[in-house]
């Protein structure tokens, strides 16, 4: 049974639904079911893991609509530099900064978030339901991990592992391989496991980013992906 469904109608913040929150007519997405154990996999339909590519060109900037609140996380991996991006939380600017290729940010979609784009954006958006975070953390209990039910990180952190995993996802967008369902399942699990191990926290303790409200665009720390689209973003 295939585990990637590019045409599936999203019910969460991914695919065309997320695209509309960036005022895009459509947005390519992959919905993958991570290779969990039997008990966790039985609930997979209720906790899809999805990746959406959001690309906003110079004529698509400005304030964007609020993403509908839900109990899930959105992890942004920047594929190209974004000199001016604002994260708004509950109608107010919360983080204003630039991002280099490979930089990530994580938002809790319960926080009624929206974006203001001052410069073009090209990013992969990983949709991770909280139930999936808990399921992946459950698999790691043998490793004596502390309880994990949420994800958080300081915005703008460059994560080379996530950047490499993102490159593998990008290849699936550009060169779909329907026969590689097993590969997609294990890639999805690898991404979820990395996020939980690196950025997992206890949701009962809400972490706030330890960064200034306004931060500069730092020098790139990783080599940018070879993206033909990058030339259109300037």
């Amino acid at each position: 049974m295939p585990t990637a469904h590019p045409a599936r109608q999203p019910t969460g913040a991914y695919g065309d639904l997320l695209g509309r929150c960036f005022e895009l007519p459509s947005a390519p997405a992959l919905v993958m079911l991570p290779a969990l154990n039997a008990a966790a996999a039985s609930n997979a339909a209720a906790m899809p893991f999805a990746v959406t590519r959001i690309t906003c060109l110079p004529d698509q900037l400005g304030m964007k609509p609020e993403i509908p609140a839900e109990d899930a996380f959105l992890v942004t991996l920047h594929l190209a530099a974004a000199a001016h991006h604002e994260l708004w939380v509950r109608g107010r600017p919360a983080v204003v900064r630039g991002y280099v290729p490979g930089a990530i940010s994580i938002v809790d979609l319960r926080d009624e978030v929206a974006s203001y784009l001052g410069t073009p954006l090209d990013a992969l958006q990983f949709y991770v339901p909280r139930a999936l975070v808990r399921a992946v953390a459950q698999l790691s209990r043998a490793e004596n991990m502390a309880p994990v039910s949420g994800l958080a990180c300081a915005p703008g952190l460059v994560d080379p592992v996530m950047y490499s995993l993102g490159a593998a996802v990008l290849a699936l967008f550009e060169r779909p391989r329907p026969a590689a369902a097993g590969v997609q399942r294990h890639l999805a699990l690898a991404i979820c496991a990395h996020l939980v191990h690196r950025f997992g926290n206890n949701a009962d303790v809400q972490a706030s980013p330890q960064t200034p409200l306004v931060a500069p665009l730092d020098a790139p720390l990783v080599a940018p992906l070879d993206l033909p689209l990058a030339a259109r973003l300037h």
Side-chain angles (χ1 to χ4, degrees):
M1 181 176 181
T3 55
H5 310 278
R8 180 174 172 176
Q9 180 66 32
T11 56
Y14 57 90
D16 290 349
L17 190 152
L18 181 61
R20 288 196 290 273
C21 295
F22 287 86
E23 300 178 311
L24 300 173
S26 62
L30 288 171
V31 181
M32 299 183 283
L33 304 181
L36 303 171
N37 60 24
S42 64
N43 297 319
M47 49 182 183
F49 171 76
V51 189
T52 307
R53 187 171 186 177
I54 295 294
T55 303
C56 294
L57 300 175
D59 61 346
Q60 298 170 311
L61 307 182
M63 192 69 208
K64 302 303 177 183
E66 184 179 289
I67 300 174
E70 62 174 302
D71 200 9
F73 300 90
L74 202 61
V75 181
T76 300
L77 171 65
H78 289 268
L79 303 176
H84 182 181
H85 181 279
E86 299 181 14
L87 171 68
W88 286 52
V89 175
R90 298 187 176 92
R92 296 174 178 270
V95 179
V96 180
R97 60 164 297 138
Y99 294 88
V100 299
I104 69 169
S105 62
I106 301 175
V107 297
D108 187 330
L109 291 178
R110 297 176 302 176
D111 290 338
E112 302 169 18
V113 300
S115 292
Y116 174 86
L117 304 182
T119 50
L121 174 70
D122 189 18
L124 293 178
Q125 305 274 7
F126 297 83
Y127 171 82
V128 190
R130 187 181 304 276
L132 181 56
V133 172
R134 290 194 174 104
V136 173
Q138 183 80 12
L139 296 177
S140 303
R141 279 195 171 180
E143 301 176 20
N144 297 318
M145 282 185 61
V148 171
S149 58
L151 301 173
C153 79
L157 174 70
V158 174
D159 181 355
V161 173
M162 196 65 190
Y163 196 62
S164 296
L165 292 168
V169 171
L170 196 59
L172 295 178
F173 277 105
E174 296 176 345
R175 297 180 296 276
R177 298 173 56 192
V183 173
Q184 294 170 8
R185 285 172 56 84
H186 288 285
L187 176 60
L189 180 60
I191 295 169
C192 292
H194 174 69
L195 291 172
V196 168
H197 281 256
R198 179 82 193 272
F199 304 112
N201 66 3
N202 189 326
D204 293 333
V205 180
Q206 294 295 329
S208 58
Q210 300 300 311
T211 57
L213 179 64
V214 180
L217 176 66
D218 300 318
L221 299 181
V222 294
L225 291 174
D226 182 15
L227 298 172
L229 190 61
R232 298 167 55 196
L233 298 176
H234 302 286

